[in-house]
Amino acid sequence: MFKNHFRIAWRNLIKRKVFTAINILGLAVGFGSSILIYLFLNYHLSFDNFHANSDRIYRMVTEEHRDDIEYDPSVPPAFAKTFLNEYDYAEKVAKIVNYDGLVVDMEINGVESKFKEDIVFAEEDFFKIFNFPLVDGSNNISLAAPNTAVLTETAANRLFGKTDIVGETFVLENDRTIQITGILKDLPKTTFLKSELFVSFDNVKDFFEFAGSESWGGITTNLQCYSLLRPNQDISTIETALLELPIKHRAKSKNKHIYRLQPLAEAHLDPAYGGLDPTLLWVFGIIGLFLIIIASINFINISTAQAFYRSKEIGVRKVLGSFKQHLFWQFLSETFVIGLFALLIGIGLAILFLPSFNALFQIELSAYNLLNTQFIVFLTLVLLIVSFLSGSYPGILMSRIVPVLALKGKLDHNDTGGATTRKILVVAQFAISITLIAATLIISRQIDYAVNTDLGFDKDFVVMVDIPSELDPVQLNGLKERLGQITGVKNVSACLSSPGGSNSNWGTSIRYHNKAEPEEFSIEIKAGDTNYLNTFDIPLIAGRNFFESDSLAEVLVNERLGEKLGLNSPEEMLGKKFEASGGSVKATIVGVVKDFHDTDFTHAINPVFIGAKNSWFSELAIKINNTNTALTLEQIGEEWSNAFSGYIYEYRFLDERVAEQYETEQRYLSLSKVFSALAILIGCLGLYGLILFYVGQRTKEIGIRKVLGSNVANILALFSMDFFKLILIAGLFATPIAWYLMEQWLQGYTYRTEIHWWVFALAIFSIMVITLLTISYQTLKAAIANPIKSLRTE
C-alpha cells in the first residue's frame, strides 16, 4: 500500500513541478540552515567531554569581592600546592601558564628559522590529569626537567617540517635552549587548549616571575589551575573548606577571595569566567527552528491553496473507492517525498557553505561530522516531524472534501482550508522576518555606537608594535628617537598597552593619601612614558604631565578615581600620595586626565593611573600620518628590526584592536543578517507560490476590472494591499517581541544606543518592498494580459 502511495505521490509532484520546486527549495534552505546550526551546537556542547575521568576534572576559579563581584578563571599561584598538600580532596593538581607570541628559533639543515608561537608552560602532572597521548600511543610525557618541551604533530611539521624530532632543540626568546622530549598527537578541536607547544613550568619564571612564584598576593588570568579529584567528592564541602585559605593567606586584603571548583565540562559555556555565552546557542537553535517553521508554513499555504484545484481529482478518487485515511496518507506521502528531496539538497547546501560558516565563527567544522549515527538520527527525526507537521493539515483538509460538490465544481476556497488559515500563517512568517530585521538593525547600531563613539582617546592611525621584555632603557630611548625622525611618524610612546582595546588590563589594589586601609575598589594600571598622552590624544584636565624619571615617582589618574573616592573636583587629588600594586608603587598624583574607555562598552569606565616604569613596557605606540602609510610602516619595520635582530616584527593598528572587542557582537550581527536573508528568501518563495494561485483564481476578476477601466497600477495595488494589511498586522505582533528581546540584549551594555520607533517602521517597510517585488512579476503579467482572453479561458 505504501509503495503505491509513493508512486502516485511521485506522479502528482511531477505534474505540479513549479509548486513542487518552490516547496523543495524552501524546505532545502530550512534544512541546510538547521544542519549548520546542529553542527555548531554539537561542536560547542561537546567541548572537553572526551577526557578520561572528565567528570572528576575541575578548574579552580576565584570570585573577587570588592565594591562589586568579579569572576576570574584563575587562582593565586600558591593555591595549587596548598590544595594538593594540605587537603585530601585531589589526586593531582597542576598549573599551566599561557604566554602568547614568544619567538621560537631553530636551525634546520643549516638554515635558521624564526616563528612566533603561543606557548603553554605546564607542570608535569598536567598531562596526567588530561589524556593527551604521544604519537606512540603512550602517556609517558615528561616535562619535569627544566628546558624541556613537547609539541603536537601539526606544530612539529610547521616548525621543523617533520615529526621525528625527539631530542632536537630550539631557542626560546633568543635565550633558552629547549629540548624536545615528545611529540603529542594533534589535540581535538573541542578542547580548551589552543596552543600546540608545551614547555616545562620551571621556565615560566624567565618570562613571568609572578606566575612562577608561590604567592597569594594576586591573580593573573594567564595562569590556570586544574585538579583531578578523588572519586565521590562533594564540591560544596570542598568549597566550604577553602573559605579558610583567604583568611590564612590574605587576611589584610580588601580584595576578598572565594575559591570555587568549576567542572571542566561547564567551563566552555560559562561567560562569567570567560567562556562562550550559552545565549548564543539558544539564539542559534531558535533561529533554526524559525527557519524550519517558515518553510513548513510555505508548504502548508501552497498545499491548501492547491487543494481547491485538486478537488475534482479528490472527488474522482473518493467515487472510485478511496477512503479518508487513504487520501490522508497519500498527501502525507507527497510531503515526505518533497521533504526527502529537500533534505538531500539541504545537505549539499550545508556542505557548500560550511567553509564560509567556519570562517565567520572561527571554528573548524568538517563535513565528516555528518557521518555519524547521532547526526543521521537527528536528520531522520527532523524529516519525519517536518513532513508530518507540513503534510497532516493539508491532508486532513483534502480528505474531507465532499466528492459530489467537488465534481460539480461547487466548492469554494473555504472548503479547502480557507483564506483565514493561510493569512494567519503568512502573518506568522512576516512577524518572524520583521523581528529578525529589527534585531539586525539594533545590533548594527550598537556596534557602530561602540566602535565610532568618542572613546576618550585617539585610536586612528596608531600602530602598536611589541617590544622585548626587560628592554634596556638606553636601547629603548634610542629606538624611539630614530622612529620619531621618520617623516610619517608624528609621535612615539613606550607603554604597557593601549588605553583601550587591549587584553592587557591590569587591576591592582590602591591606598590613597596615606590611609590606613586600602580602598574597596581596584584601579587599572596603564603604564606609559611622557609621550603617552600626546600619542593617544588624551586630554589633561588638571595638573601637569609627569616628568621623565628612572623611578615611578609621579603618576596621572583619571576623573573616575575622584568619583570613586567621593571627591568634588579633580584638583583635590593633585599632590596626594598614592600606593598601588602591593606597595611596589609609591608616587604622587601630579595630573588628572579626562576619562576614557579602558575596556569595552559592557563595562563601566574604571579608575586608572598612568605612570612610567621601564620594566612594565611591552609595546610601542606609534602615531603616524594618514599619507603614504605603506612607506612609513616599512621604515618603522626597518628601524625595529635593526634594534631587535633576533625577534619578529609585527604590528597592529589600534582601531582594529578596539574593533576586536566586539567580535561576539559582530558574529551576532552576521548571524542576524544571514538568517534574516534566509527567512526572507523562504518567505518570498512561499509568497511567489501563493500569488500564482491567487492570480489564477482571480483571472476573470482581473479581466472584468480592465474592461471596466482599471489600469495596471490599480490591479497591482489590489493584490499588494491584501499582503500589506497582513504585513502591518505582523508588525503589530513583531514590534513588542523584537523590542523586548533587544532591550534585554542591550541590558548587557553600560554604554548603549537607544531603541527608536523608526527601526521597526523600517523593518516593516523593508518587508513591504520585498513583498511588492516578489508579487509584481506575476501580478503585472496578469494585469497586462488581454482581458478578452482572460474572460474566455476562465
Side-chain angles (χ1 to χ4, degrees):
M1 182 181 73
F2 286 106
K3 183 178 180 181
N4 186 53
H5 281 319
F6 282 114
R7 187 173 64 251
I8 297 171
W10 174 255
R11 197 161 54 238
N12 287 333
L13 294 176
I14 294 292
K15 289 179 183 178
R16 299 184 302 278
K17 54 187 177 182
V18 173
F19 304 109
T20 300
I22 290 173
N23 278 331
I24 288 177
L25 186 55
L27 284 173
V29 174
F31 280 134
S33 304
S34 296
I35 290 168
L36 289 176
I37 291 171
Y38 168 84
L39 291 175
F40 180 85
L41 296 179
N42 187 64
Y43 172 83
H44 286 290
L45 293 173
S46 63
F47 254 70
D48 290 307
N49 65 1
F50 54 86
H51 300 288
N53 300 314
S54 60
D55 60 323
R56 292 196 286 133
I57 300 176
Y58 286 77
R59 181 170 67 169
M60 321 308 287
V61 297
T62 305
E63 286 183 14
E64 299 183 77
H65 291 246
R66 293 190 178 98
D67 54 336
D68 55 8
I69 301 177
E70 298 176 5
Y71 301 90
D72 203 308
S74 183
V75 286
F79 178 92
K81 185 177 290 187
T82 301
F83 184 63
L84 180 64
N85 296 334
E86 297 185 12
Y87 298 90
D88 195 32
Y89 300 125
E91 291 182 6
K92 298 185 184 302
V93 179
K95 294 182 290 186
I96 62 172
V97 172
N98 299 286
Y99 213 108
D100 297 341
L102 294 181
V103 176
V104 173
D105 186 353
M106 72 280 297
E107 188 173 303
I108 305 171
N109 298 325
V111 178
E112 185 182 26
S113 299
K114 291 181 182 294
F115 301 89
K116 266 196 171 183
E117 291 290 319
D118 297 338
I119 304 294
V120 173
F121 295 96
E123 292 186 325
E124 185 177 25
D125 279 351
F126 177 78
F127 290 100
K128 296 177 181 177
I129 295 174
F130 297 97
N131 55 324
F132 296 119
L134 296 170
V135 291
D136 62 9
S138 74
N139 290 93
N140 299 322
I141 301 169
S142 177
L143 289 178
N147 305 320
T148 56
V150 296
L151 65 166
T152 65
E153 290 180 279
T154 297
N157 279 313
R158 183 177 67 251
L159 299 176
F160 291 88
K162 58 182 180 178
T163 58
D164 184 19
I165 56 172
V166 174
E168 296 194 24
T169 61
F170 61 85
V171 178
L172 188 60
E173 282 287 291
N174 302 297
D175 180 49
R176 291 283 181 175
T177 299
I178 309 293
Q179 184 178 46
I180 297 168
T181 59
I183 305 298
L184 293 166
K185 288 184 179 179
D186 283 339
L187 306 178
K189 302 301 181 185
T190 53
T191 184
F192 66 94
L193 286 170
K194 301 306 175 189
S195 300
E196 298 179 308
L197 179 53
F198 302 85
V199 176
S200 169
F201 194 84
D202 284 346
N203 290 100
V204 75
K205 292 181 181 179
D206 300 334
F207 305 95
F208 196 173
E209 185 175 355
F210 172 76
S213 69
E214 292 295 328
S215 170
W216 287 95
I219 289 176
T220 171
T221 53
N222 288 352
L223 183 147
Q224 306 276 302
C225 179
Y226 296 90
S227 65
L228 176 64
L229 298 185
R230 299 186 188 280
N232 304 317
Q233 295 295 316
D234 181 66
I235 302 305
S236 61
T237 300
I238 298 175
E239 291 182 339
T240 300
L242 295 179
L243 292 175
E244 67 181 12
L245 290 181
I247 299 173
K248 289 172 60 177
H249 301 286
R250 298 175 52 84
K252 296 182 179 180
S253 176
K254 287 286 187 177
N255 180 7
K256 303 300 183 183
H257 284 185
I258 297 178
Y259 303 120
R260 304 286 189 192
L261 279 71
Q262 180 187 52
L264 182 66
E266 297 178 8
H268 181 67
L269 294 176
D270 191 342
Y273 292 101
L276 181 73
D277 189 345
T279 303
L280 181 62
L281 303 188
W282 279 103
V283 170
F284 260 88
I286 291 171
I287 289 179
L289 180 62
F290 278 171
L291 293 177
I292 288 291
I293 289 173
I294 292 174
S296 299
I297 288 173
N298 276 357
F299 190 97
I300 293 170
N301 279 337
I302 292 175
S303 297
T304 54
Q306 278 183 299
F308 180 81
Y309 298 98
R310 296 184 64 182
S311 58
K312 289 187 177 180
E313 172 198 338
I314 296 166
V316 169
R317 289 192 180 191
K318 282 198 169 185
V319 169
L320 294 177
S322 291
F323 294 103
K324 285 185 178 182
Q325 61 267 31
H326 293 155
L327 292 170
F328 174 80
W329 286 107
Q330 181 61 56
F331 291 118
L332 210 59
S333 299
E334 291 182 14
T335 306
F336 182 80
V337 172
I338 288 176
L340 185 60
F341 272 91
L343 181 60
L344 295 175
I345 296 172
I347 293 173
L349 290 174
I351 294 173
L352 178 65
F353 289 101
L354 192 57
S356 300
F357 192 81
N358 284 336
L360 174 61
F361 291 99
Q362 296 181 358
I363 55 179
E364 296 185 34
L365 301 177
S366 169
Y368 291 107
N369 296 122
L370 306 180
L371 303 176
N372 60 71
T373 305
Q374 183 182 1
F375 178 71
I376 293 171
V377 170
F378 165 76
L379 284 188
T380 303
L381 287 175
V382 170
L383 176 60
L384 292 175
I385 292 171
V386 169
S387 297
F388 182 78
L389 293 178
S390 301
S392 57
Y393 177 67
I396 291 170
L397 290 175
M398 293 185 197
S399 64
R400 288 178 177 174
I401 289 176
V402 180
V404 175
L405 296 177
L407 293 173
K408 288 183 177 181
K410 293 186 177 181
L411 288 175
D412 62 26
H413 285 272
N414 289 323
D415 296 319
T416 56
T420 302
T421 303
R422 284 193 289 275
K423 286 178 180 178
I424 292 172
L425 295 175
V426 169
V427 166
Q429 278 185 312
F430 284 143
I432 292 171
S433 297
I434 290 169
T435 300
L436 289 173
I437 292 174
T440 301
L441 292 172
I442 292 168
I443 293 171
S444 179
R445 278 175 52 81
Q446 177 60 28
I447 295 174
D448 181 72
Y449 175 78
V451 173
N452 296 319
T453 297
D454 182 13
L455 300 178
F457 62 90
D458 186 4
K459 66 181 186 300
D460 297 322
F461 296 101
V462 177
V463 181
M464 305 300 299
V465 182
D466 289 340
I467 55 177
S469 58
E470 302 297 333
L471 188 62
D472 178 75
V474 176
Q475 186 182 10
L476 177 60
N477 290 331
L479 175 61
K480 287 164 55 181
E481 184 178 346
R482 292 192 298 275
L483 290 173
Q485 293 172 355
I486 296 174
T487 303
V489 172
K490 298 171 68 174
N491 239 312
V492 182
S493 173
C495 57
L496 171 66
S497 64
S498 57
S502 171
N503 293 324
S504 298
N505 286 351
W506 179 8
T508 181
S509 58
I510 173 180
R511 194 187 301 271
Y512 175 76
H513 195 39
N514 298 321
K515 288 184 179 179
E517 294 291 329
E519 302 299 329
E520 294 284 345
F521 57 86
S522 65
I523 192 168
E524 294 290 327
I525 299 175
K526 295 293 181 183
D529 61 19
T530 53
N531 286 333
Y532 194 82
L533 299 187
N534 290 333
T535 302
F536 294 108
D537 196 19
I538 299 174
L540 187 67
I541 61 173
R544 59 171 175 83
N545 198 357
F546 50 77
F547 294 128
E548 196 80 48
S549 173
D550 293 334
S551 62
L552 206 168
E554 298 179 338
V555 295
L556 308 174
V557 298
N558 65 347
E559 297 171 281
R560 179 66 173 156
L561 176 60
E563 294 174 8
K564 297 287 283 187
L565 292 170
L567 304 180
N568 296 319
S569 68
E571 286 76 11
E572 290 184 54
M573 292 185 284
L574 298 179
K576 299 299 190 298
K577 298 298 180 181
F578 175 92
E579 290 186 23
S581 191
S584 64
V585 174
K586 294 182 178 180
T588 302
I589 298 173
V590 296
V592 181
V593 300
K594 190 174 180 60
D595 282 341
F596 55 83
H597 287 277
D598 60 304
T599 185
D600 62 41
F601 276 28
T602 62
H603 298 90
I605 293 173
N606 291 303
V608 168
F609 86 80
I610 304 169
K613 192 171 183 178
N614 284 327
S615 61
W616 289 350
F617 296 156
S618 61
E619 293 186 292
L620 286 179
I622 307 170
K623 178 72 174 179
I624 64 174
N625 293 320
N626 59 357
T627 56
N628 211 355
T629 304
L631 177 60
T632 302
L633 291 173
E634 183 181 343
Q635 292 174 332
I636 292 172
E638 289 175 359
E639 290 293 347
W640 191 94
S641 298
N642 289 335
F644 311 121
S645 58
Y647 295 88
I648 299 173
Y649 169 67
E650 290 181 346
Y651 67 87
R652 291 291 305 277
F653 281 99
L654 180 56
D655 57 351
E656 295 175 352
R657 186 182 283 182
V658 170
E660 280 181 355
Q661 293 183 124
Y662 303 96
E663 282 185 353
T664 300
E665 288 79 1
Q666 292 284 4
R667 289 171 188 166
Y668 271 113
L669 179 59
S670 299
L671 171 72
S672 299
K673 287 179 179 177
V674 170
F675 287 119
S676 295
L678 290 176
I680 291 168
L681 172 62
I682 297 172
C684 287
L685 289 171
L687 287 176
Y688 187 77
L690 282 178
I691 203 66
L692 283 176
F693 282 110
Y694 287 162
V695 168
Q697 174 191 346
R698 302 174 73 172
T699 300
K700 188 173 183 179
E701 176 189 345
I702 293 171
I704 293 172
R705 287 181 179 276
K706 289 194 70 175
V707 169
L708 295 177
S710 292
N711 55 30
V712 173
N714 296 139
I715 295 170
L716 182 60
L718 174 69
F719 280 89
S720 300
M721 287 307 297
D722 288 340
F723 287 102
F724 286 174
K725 290 175 184 176
L726 298 181
I727 292 171
L728 290 174
I729 294 171
L732 292 177
F733 285 103
T735 296
I737 294 172
W739 181 89
Y740 174 78
L741 292 175
M742 297 316 298
E743 181 67 26
Q744 292 299 114
W745 181 73
L746 287 171
Q747 291 298 320
Y749 290 87
T750 304
Y751 308 97
R752 46 165 285 184
T753 187
E754 295 299 322
I755 300 179
H756 296 286
W757 65 268
W758 60 261
V759 170
F760 306 103
L762 181 59
I764 294 170
F765 178 74
S766 300
I767 292 295
M768 285 183 171
V769 172
I770 293 168
T771 299
L772 182 63
L773 294 175
T774 302
I775 68 177
S776 290
Y777 173 72
Q778 286 298 329
T779 306
L780 291 173
K781 183 178 176 182
I784 63 177
N786 189 328
I788 303 301
K789 184 177 179 181
S790 300
L791 292 171
R792 283 177 177 174
T793 55
E794 177 72 1

